[in-house]
Amino acid sequence: MVVVDKKFGKYVHPEVERKFLLATIPPDTTFHADITDHYIPNTTFRLRRMQTEHEVTFKFAQKLRVHPHDTRVILHTNFYISEAEYVFLASTLPSHRLEKRRFRFHGGTIPMAIDQFQGHLEGLVIAEVDFGPNGDPSSLTMSSFSLAEVTDDERFTGGRLALITRPQVTTLLDEFNIK
């Protein structure tokens, strides 16, 4: 169980996550959303546009780690904003952009989001499981379609991925034998 210190604010949502690198999108998935993230340099802030089949949502978020080197426990606060606010912030704040298509995996007992990255990150596919504040991340064994667990690998955080170049992505994929 994650206990949140009041200094983080009353609207924070604790997430306990694990991430897995995949070679491809597994069967038993459905499209969920196209996502564009803007990571604001030197901050813990992210601006997001999320388009599902039925709606477009805009968010300004903060993601903090409870402990600086613990990649598994994240304190996440979302502010829902209007499209005009999103356009204003996206056009005025410096940011590093990341695009991905999110799928939901339905073949297991624990819900899983699978992100297929676009643009210069093409070829990168990451599955993410959020256990919520009361979940037990050790209850999940790595799926047969996962190549490696990358939860504790800083290179697979959204902010870091938004910064890497195509040659760096190729090197990263080669490291895990992904073609």
Side-chain angles (χ1 to χ4, degrees), residues 19 21 65 71 98 117 121 124 126 148-165 168-176:
K19 293 181 184 179
L21 183 64
R65 291 181 179 171
T71 58
L98 181 147
F117 290 84
L121 295 173
L124 183 62
I126 296 176
E149 181 164 2
V150 294
T151 304
D152 299 319
D153 190 332
E154 292 285 345
R155 299 174 298 174
F156 292 95
T157 61
R160 289 277 181 91
L161 289 172
L163 290 172
I164 67 174
T165 64
Q168 290 170 321
V169 172
T170 301
T171 300
L172 188 61
L173 295 175
D174 286 347
E175 182 181 327
F176 291 93

Side-chain angles (χ1 to χ4, degrees), residues 7-124:
K7 73 179 178 183
F8 292 111
K10 67 181 182 178
Y11 299 109
V12 70
H13 168 74
E15 295 177 346
V16 179
E17 299 178 334
R18 286 180 65 193
K19 293 181 184 179
F20 301 91
L21 183 64
L22 311 181
T24 188
I25 301 292
D28 297 325
T29 61
T30 56
F31 169 78
H32 178 66
D34 284 322
I35 298 172
T36 302
D37 286 333
H38 298 267
Y39 288 88
I40 314 303
N42 305 312
T43 74
T44 55
F45 297 119
R46 178 190 71 200
L47 184 61
R48 173 171 280 183
R49 180 186 188 278
M50 191 162 120
Q51 182 171 351
T52 67
E53 291 180 30
H54 306 289
E55 68 180 341
V56 179
T57 305
F58 304 96
K59 302 176 189 178
F60 191 66
Q62 181 179 43
K63 292 185 112 179
L64 297 169
R65 291 181 179 171
V66 175
H67 304 288
H69 301 292
D70 182 0
T71 58
R72 294 175 186 235
V73 180
I74 305 292
L75 301 178
H76 190 184
T77 306
N78 271 323
F79 299 93
Y80 289 84
I81 60 177
S82 69
E83 182 176 9
E85 291 166 325
Y86 171 86
V87 169
F88 173 76
L89 292 170
S91 65
T92 56
L93 292 174
S95 67
H96 303 285
R97 187 177 167 140
L98 181 147
E99 294 179 19
K100 59 190 177 183
R101 176 162 279 179
R102 177 160 289 169
F103 297 87
R104 295 283 184 216
F105 176 69
H106 305 286
T109 57
I110 299 174
M112 187 179 293
I114 298 179
D115 292 332
Q116 180 181 47
F117 290 84
Q118 312 290 309
H120 74 285
L121 295 173
E122 186 175 334
L124 183 62

